[in-house]
Amino acid sequence: MSVRNSYIGQPIERTEDLRFLRGRGIYVADVNRPGQLYAVILRSSVAHGNIRSVDISRAMQLPGVRHVLVGADLGNAVPRIPLRLQPLPQLEPFHQPVLADGKVRYVGEPIAVVLADTPGIAEDALDLIDLDIETLPAITSREQAEAMPAVLFEDHGSNAAITWKAFKGDADAAFASADYTRRETFKIQRHAAMFMEPRGFVAEWNADAGKLTVWGAAKTAWYNRRVLATALGLDVDAVDLIEVDVGGGFGSRGEFYPEDYLIPAAAKFAGRPVKWTEDRREHMMTANHARDIECDVEIALSKDGRFLALRGQAWADIGAYIRTNGSVGPRNVAQYMSGPYTFEHIDLKTTMLTTNKTPSGTYRGPGRYETDFIRERMIDLAAKDLRIDRVELRRRNLVADAQMPYPLASITPYDSSTELDSGDYHAVFDLCMKEFDWAEKSKLSGRLIDGYYHGLAVGSFIEGGAAGPSEDARLVLEIDGALTVYLGSSSVGQGLETIMAQITADATELPFEKITVRHGSTSDVKNGYGAYHSRSTVMGGSAILLAAEKLKDSVRAAAALRFGCAVGDVTIDGEQVAHGGKTLPLAGLSDIPLEVEATFFNKKYTWAYGTQAAHIAVDPGTGHVKVIDYLSVEDVGRIINPSTLHGQAIGSIVQGLGGAFLEHLVYDENGQLLTGSFADYLMPTALDFPNIRSITLELKPCPNNPLGVKGAGEGGLIPVGGIMANAIADALSHLNVQPMELPLSPARIWQMAEDGAIQAVA
Amino acid sequence: MQIEFELNGATVGTSVEARTSLADCLRDNLGKTGTHLGCEHGVCGACTVLVNGEAVRACLMLAVQANGDKVVTVEGLSSDNLSPLQASFRKHHALQCGFCTPGFITTAHALLTAEPDADEERIRDVLSGNLCRCTGYVPIIEAVLDARKFYAVQKEKA
Ligand code: FES
Ligand code: FES
């Protein structure tokens, strides 16, 4: 059969861009409803304390203030936000109430909601609320959280919420008999996704129809609809969450936050539409933070350089509550520490500790960024100790093609077993070394040129994708022959509309231009799981393939009626159907739109993988690092749009560099967040990292979905911290600088170089 | 307070509070929602508009200060078709979520109008005042470099 379309694999220019480039996108702050009120949220300014009283009487007198909602307005019990992922009963005591339940546990925790005619009036009213809080000592470190019993949640008896245990083989036995072991302690700083569009909602309650509509959903609209409907005591069908254009997500946007309840509840309470948009400081205090772990880990090798075992303990500072996906990062730290390498014995634990900081959740490559820093550092340290070349040591231990599928560690208490699905890890590694010209560049290792010490590093990574359980697609062939695709997948700005239209065009053999993709209204398809875990393309795309087959059946059936022939005798040829020499166009084929729906189910993760290499230069006098060359090579099985994929890879690497060098959410000992603006939370700018390269390959298609794709988009960032730390160690090897902590700020690098120089003299 | 200025070539009048920022005025009073607010404290550049030809952060300027000025927002840089700069952004995939994009377009437009021969270093320097969380900047720089030729022609004509 001839293939009519081959949009898949082409760098098609994005349809989204036509509106974004001209300022015609509709983001949630651009949505307005007639008669809307503006919500502003009163938030705790202390990290830990008992609320003695909230007096709203003065605020209520300000002209233009309509309501001030406090806990009592929410009925008898303030709703608590359930966990979306790993909903273990033992974590329930740590669920977050949508308004503080008599106690505040972090700076930024919501206490009351002001509704007023303008945002300015609502903000003025905040100053008129008399809030009396008895301040309690704040817990801001692992030591305090471990040492002090049950400070955040008195009833629970401990600040430790749960411990994840990853295991494989018999680690203790492996350590007992190993030729070589090394143990080190690592720290990764608290930082965050920090997407550019602040969060917001517009909610409208139609009392006559008993229907609630909320604009501003993202990522997991169907799940959030269920939570919201339950908390408001409404039928799920009475609630519609609508996703408009979304200014970046990176794992953080779209989780169920307190505001996801408060704004719709306020609209229902007030009987008028309510709009809320957060400001940047508010975002920094309230949206999920991430990373923030310490880890004490040990590696065992044979003397000929075979990886044998990993064991150790990590502590994740998850902040004041456990949020919807807050277990993912800590769990992944334990389960994915082994990365793309063979380890037959693993015994790793992560304990989640509550502290008086903003709660945490996922951020691009959750847990993987952290583990890759730790693991790749350990590999370089072991290579040095064993006098084995670090490139050779990695080659010796990468999982081989013949070992696939290769099982990763199992994990308790919420089992999520997985195995590396497919891949030629060695081929990608070798290609990276070649394209990077490692052989030539490595001659610069440790050399001082024009005041800069040069260093190199290499590291490999795996990137999980395609979390199940399912995704829906509904195709509607309109009477005029246009095709509309409705999806349960959602967009966080990654180009979903274009990619899905490419897949649809190939699957249906219709022209790309005839296809419109709609996503993110909970009324469009029965169910949807959304955009996380690099799953949109894999899951939504596969659902489209299934639906396209059904659509072709419907087209044949409709054509058979027109031709007066058997269904099996109809052939479809692009925009035409044919039978016995006669043809008919799809337009006008049927008097009603032809509509089909399909669901793609999936239990298995996809595992994209790759290798990255970097060449840097360090100024020992200032601690400043120049990234001279950075190359990422990743195999994603099959590429839908090389342009968007390449864009994600580069963007992801630069985010990783931000985490490695710049970004840090800093708290003082009272639990005050000191980094409350972009002036003090530094992110990469156009000047910082110009030399980033990425190559993506279609080497080993994924065996677990009909498209053969592996979820991608997070990978670029995953190994960056480890690679940068190793490159700095390489550059400053004469001073024996060994970074064990991120971020690698100039001050920290300078200090390490100083300490190294002093040691060298002594 | 009643103010009047030229917006994308047409005279507009509106009434604002003294504390209203130009960004809020453009978005809320005049419906120009292409001007985005990412930080409201002058660092991200998403709100950049042209005031008398200069790239200005609309979140840091009061609406009343624009009285009598010529203001151009991203909506004013093209009509039905993409401008050459916008088309270059599309071609180079210099945007993902698109939230920062209007600010980059206005900033780059102001730069290339004044300096069509700006080199990569200059472009990076000027654009370093705008934050993008998605693209890593590499494609944005390529897009702006590629769009220079159109501005050079314009300048020649002028
Ligand atoms: S919103 Fe004006 S600079 Fe960020
Ligand atoms: S494209 Fe998303 S912030 Fe720039």
Side-chain angles (χ1 to χ4, degrees):
Chain A
M1 205 182 82
S2 74
V3 178
R4 175 172 291 270
N5 290 338
S6 50
Y7 290 102
I8 291 182
Q10 299 301 316
I12 305 278
E13 291 190 350
R14 301 195 320 167
T15 29
E16 292 90 337
D17 294 355
L18 295 172
R19 54 179 197 275
F20 293 162
L21 283 160
R22 290 180 286 180
R24 296 180 190 178
I26 305 284
Y27 299 85
V28 65
D30 308 337
V31 174
N32 291 298
R33 303 299 297 167
Q36 72 194 8
L37 296 173
Y38 294 85
V40 167
I41 296 168
L42 176 72
R43 299 181 181 279
S44 177
S45 57
V46 302
H48 198 192
N50 290 315
I51 301 176
R52 290 207 192 97
S53 65
V54 187
D55 182 354
I56 62 169
S57 52
R58 283 201 304 145
M60 284 300 290
Q61 279 157 23
L62 187 71
V65 171
R66 301 292 165 169
H67 305 282
V68 180
L69 277 73
V70 292
D73 298 309
L74 304 181
N76 295 335
V78 175
R80 289 174 172 262
I81 302 170
L83 299 191
R84 182 169 64 83
L85 300 172
Q86 294 99 29
L88 294 160
Q90 59 267 47
L91 292 173
E92 272 165 29
F94 306 98
H95 289 186
Q96 178 163 13
V98 294
L99 284 178
D101 60 357
K103 195 177 179 191
V104 289
R105 296 183 176 88
Y106 66 95
V107 169
E109 182 161 5
I111 295 172
V113 183
V114 179
L115 301 180
D117 292 346
T118 71
I121 295 171
E123 274 167 25
D124 292 345
L126 289 190
D127 297 337
L128 300 174
I129 298 176
D130 294 310
L131 184 61
D132 185 8
I133 297 180
E134 171 205 13
T135 307
L136 300 167
I139 296 214
T140 58
S141 70
R142 175 201 4 146
E143 291 72 25
Q144 289 170 331
E146 282 197 309
M148 300 162 84
V151 182
L152 269 82
F153 299 88
E154 291 86 346
D155 297 344
H156 178 66
S158 155
N159 297 313
I162 206 172
T163 295
W164 293 94
K165 295 191 178 95
F167 51 93
K168 185 179 178 184
D170 185 346
D172 287 345
F175 271 92
S177 62
D179 301 323
Y180 166 86
T181 67
R182 181 158 179 165
R183 182 173 160 173
E184 292 292 344
T185 308
F186 298 91
K187 268 189 195 181
I188 292 110
Q189 85 280 19
R190 185 168 269 255
H191 56 289
M194 214 58 75
F195 40 77
M196 293 310 297
E197 183 208 7
R199 293 178 302 141
F201 292 105
V202 179
E204 185 169 59
W205 169 245
N206 180 333
D208 296 337
K211 179 123 188 149
L212 179 73
T213 309
V214 184
W215 290 264
K219 182 174 167 177
T220 58
W222 276 262
Y223 177 82
N224 287 3
R225 171 166 78 159
R226 285 197 288 280
V227 174
L228 179 60
T230 308
L232 288 172
L234 296 171
D235 277 353
V236 173
D237 293 336
V239 178
D240 193 9
L241 299 195
I242 296 178
E243 179 196 333
V244 287
D245 287 324
V246 171
F250 315 119
S252 165
R253 190 199 296 277
E255 289 301 320
F256 200 99
Y257 289 99
E259 298 82 4
D260 288 61
Y261 175 85
L262 292 173
I263 304 309
K268 198 161 172 281
F269 179 88
R272 285 173 64 177
V274 171
K275 178 170 183 166
W276 168 76
T277 320
E278 69 185 349
D279 66 28
R280 188 49 67 175
R281 177 161 176 272
E282 200 174 15
H283 175 82
M284 289 183 171
M285 296 190 305
T286 61
N288 284 344
H289 292 174
R291 318 288 195 224
D292 206 355
I293 71 149
E294 295 182 31
C295 190
D296 187 352
V297 64
E298 203 172 0
I299 192 169
L301 283 84
S302 65
K303 57 176 171 298
D304 62 345
R306 298 276 157 203
F307 295 170
L308 302 173
L310 283 169
R311 79 179 162 193
Q313 164 81 52
W315 297 266
D317 178 341
I318 61 159
Y321 298 98
I322 288 173
R323 284 199 174 157
T324 49
N325 60 9
S327 289
V328 173
R331 180 204 66 184
N332 289 359
V333 165
Q335 193 177 15
Y336 303 149
M337 182 79 81
S338 55
Y341 304 98
T342 51
F343 279 95
E344 292 307 315
H345 308 283
I346 291 170
D347 177 5
L348 291 162
K349 297 180 186 65
T350 310
T351 299
M352 307 204 311
L353 295 171
T354 53
T355 63
N356 294 110
K357 298 180 192 167
T358 297
S360 58
T362 56
Y363 166 34
R364 209 172 198 174
R368 303 188 173 105
Y369 186 78
E370 298 91 308
T371 52
D372 275 41
F373 168 63
I374 294 163
R375 183 190 67 244
E376 294 296 325
R377 283 297 290 132
M378 290 299 271
I379 295 175
D380 267 26
L381 290 165
K384 198 167 177 238
D385 291 343
L386 292 168
R387 295 175 204 282
I388 300 174
D389 178 70
R390 54 201 162 134
V391 173
E392 173 56 25
L393 184 59
R394 286 182 171 82
R395 274 206 186 101
R396 247 177 241 179
N397 290 286
L398 282 170
V399 174
D401 201 359
Q403 290 171 286
M404 298 289 177
Y406 185 79
L408 297 177
S410 302
I411 189 124
T412 57
Y414 194 92
D415 178 49
S416 56
S417 301
T418 182
E419 51 195 28
L420 303 176
D421 56 347
S422 62
D424 191 339
Y425 291 16
H426 286 89
V428 169
F429 186 91
D430 291 345
L431 183 73
C432 181
M433 292 290 90
K434 182 164 158 279
E435 289 291 328
F436 184 76
D437 201 2
W438 179 274
E440 191 55 36
K441 285 191 176 123
S442 60
K443 293 176 189 157
L444 292 169
S445 259
R447 278 187 51 195
L448 178 66
I449 303 167
D450 294 338
Y452 280 82
Y453 285 100
H454 287 244
L456 274 77
V458 55
S460 291
F461 66 96
I462 49 173
E463 171 185 7
S470 70
E471 206 58 79
D472 284 10
R474 184 162 65 93
L475 303 188
V476 180
L477 183 65
E478 312 290 352
I479 300 165
D480 64 359
L483 181 68
T484 313
V485 183
Y486 296 93
L487 287 174
S489 296
S490 44
S491 170
V492 280
Q494 72 279 53
L496 187 84
E497 290 163 38
T498 307
I499 293 159
M500 294 302 175
Q502 287 178 259
I503 295 171
T504 310
D506 279 16
T508 59
E509 299 183 27
L510 291 175
F512 183 79
E513 296 71 31
K514 289 253 154 152
I515 296 162
T516 308
V517 175
R518 304 234 180 266
H519 54 89
S521 165
T522 48
S523 302
D524 280 351
V525 291
K526 288 196 197 80
N527 206 351
Y529 287 86
Y532 57 96
H533 196 248
S534 299
R535 69 188 296 288
S536 284
T537 306
V538 184
M539 299 296 297
S542 297
I544 288 175
L545 290 197
L546 301 183
E549 288 314 310
K550 284 190 174 179
L551 184 69
K552 286 179 186 168
D553 290 343
S554 299
V555 167
R556 275 191 211 99
L561 281 179
R562 296 287 297 270
F563 287 126
C565 69
V567 174
D569 293 340
V570 177
T571 52
I572 308 176
D573 184 18
E575 291 184 86
Q576 288 192 327
V577 284
H579 168 65
K582 284 180 289 183
T583 62
L584 281 172
L586 284 188
L589 182 68
S590 157
D591 304 333
I592 50 158
L594 298 178
E595 184 170 333
V596 296
E597 187 158 1
T599 306
F600 175 68
F601 292 96
N602 174 47
K603 282 206 191 85
K604 290 190 170 173
Y605 293 169
T606 63
W607 289 98
Y609 61 95
T611 299
Q612 297 184 351
H615 171 201
I616 62 153
V618 186
D619 179 347
T622 64
H624 179 250
V625 176
K626 281 198 285 197
V627 178
I628 295 172
D629 189 16
Y630 199 103
L631 175 66
S632 173
V633 182
E634 184 171 17
D635 176 22
V636 302
R638 189 168 183 208
I639 298 170
I640 308 299
N641 186 324
S643 241
T644 59
L645 184 64
H646 185 250
Q648 293 244 335
I650 301 274
S652 189
I653 292 167
V654 173
Q655 277 190 347
L657 290 165
F661 291 116
L662 302 166
E663 300 178 34
H664 196 177
L665 289 157
V666 183
Y667 283 85
D668 73 6
E669 68 282 3
N670 298 318
Q672 287 293 338
L673 180 62
L674 301 180
T675 36
S677 81
F678 282 159
D680 33 42
Y681 184 85
L682 302 181
M683 292 193 295
T685 73
L687 278 175
D688 294 321
F689 306 112
N691 306 311
I692 314 293
R693 298 187 286 145
S694 145
I695 299 171
T696 23
L697 306 167
E698 298 185 297
L699 220 50
K700 292 276 176 179
C702 180
N704 302 330
N705 65 72
L707 273 172
V709 285
K710 299 177 183 180
E714 306 183 57
L717 156 155
I718 289 171
V720 180
I723 288 175
M724 283 303 123
N726 280 336
I728 288 163
D730 187 43
L732 302 178
S733 55
H734 63 294
L735 299 172
N736 194 28
V737 162
Q738 299 296 351
M740 302 295 182
E741 192 172 342
L742 296 179
L744 298 159
S745 61
R748 179 167 288 145
I749 294 172
W750 178 86
Q751 190 64 56
M752 286 189 297
E754 278 293 292
D755 294 349
I758 291 165
Q759 292 250 315
V761 173
Chain B
M1 287 170 159
Q2 190 62 29
I3 55 169
E4 197 175 277
F5 56 91
E6 191 186 303
L7 176 60
N8 300 335
T11 303
V12 294
T14 185
S15 145
V16 291
E17 283 184 66
R19 65 176 172 180
T20 307
S21 72
L22 177 59
D24 285 343
C25 170
L26 289 170
R27 291 178 49 82
D28 301 339
N29 298 37
L30 302 165
K32 296 289 176 251
T33 53
T35 301
H36 293 160
L37 290 169
C39 71
E40 294 173 273
H41 53 249
V43 182
C44 77
C47 65
T48 307
V49 298
L50 308 175
V51 178
N52 302 327
E54 302 252 340
V56 159
R57 320 220 133 183
C59 73
L60 291 187
M61 183 169 165
L62 295 170
V64 292
Q65 292 176 291
N67 199 20
D69 285 344
K70 278 191 172 63
V71 178
V72 177
T73 66
V74 69
E75 289 95 336
L77 292 180
S78 60
S79 47
D80 283 348
N81 294 320
L82 298 180
S83 74
L85 178 64
Q86 289 164 337
S88 185
F89 265 64
R90 189 176 186 212
K91 177 173 142 205
H92 290 276
H93 188 48
L95 65 157
Q96 288 177 33
C97 77
F99 192 77
C100 70
T101 310
F104 273 94
I105 295 282
T106 47
T107 307
H109 176 79
L111 170 66
L112 294 186
T113 305
E115 302 171 42
D117 53 353
D119 63 7
E120 179 175 339
E121 209 183 312
R122 172 76 178 142
I123 292 169
R124 282 194 179 271
D125 191 27
V126 171
L127 292 187
S128 72
N130 291 49
L131 294 175
C132 173
R133 192 58 161 166
C134 299
T135 63
Y137 306 104
V138 173
I140 295 182
I141 302 300
E142 284 167 5
V144 176
L145 281 168
D146 196 15
R148 289 180 304 182
K149 50 185 183 274
F150 300 103
Y151 287 84
V153 173
Q154 286 293 323
K155 191 148 194 176
E156 208 128 283
K157 278 197 216 148

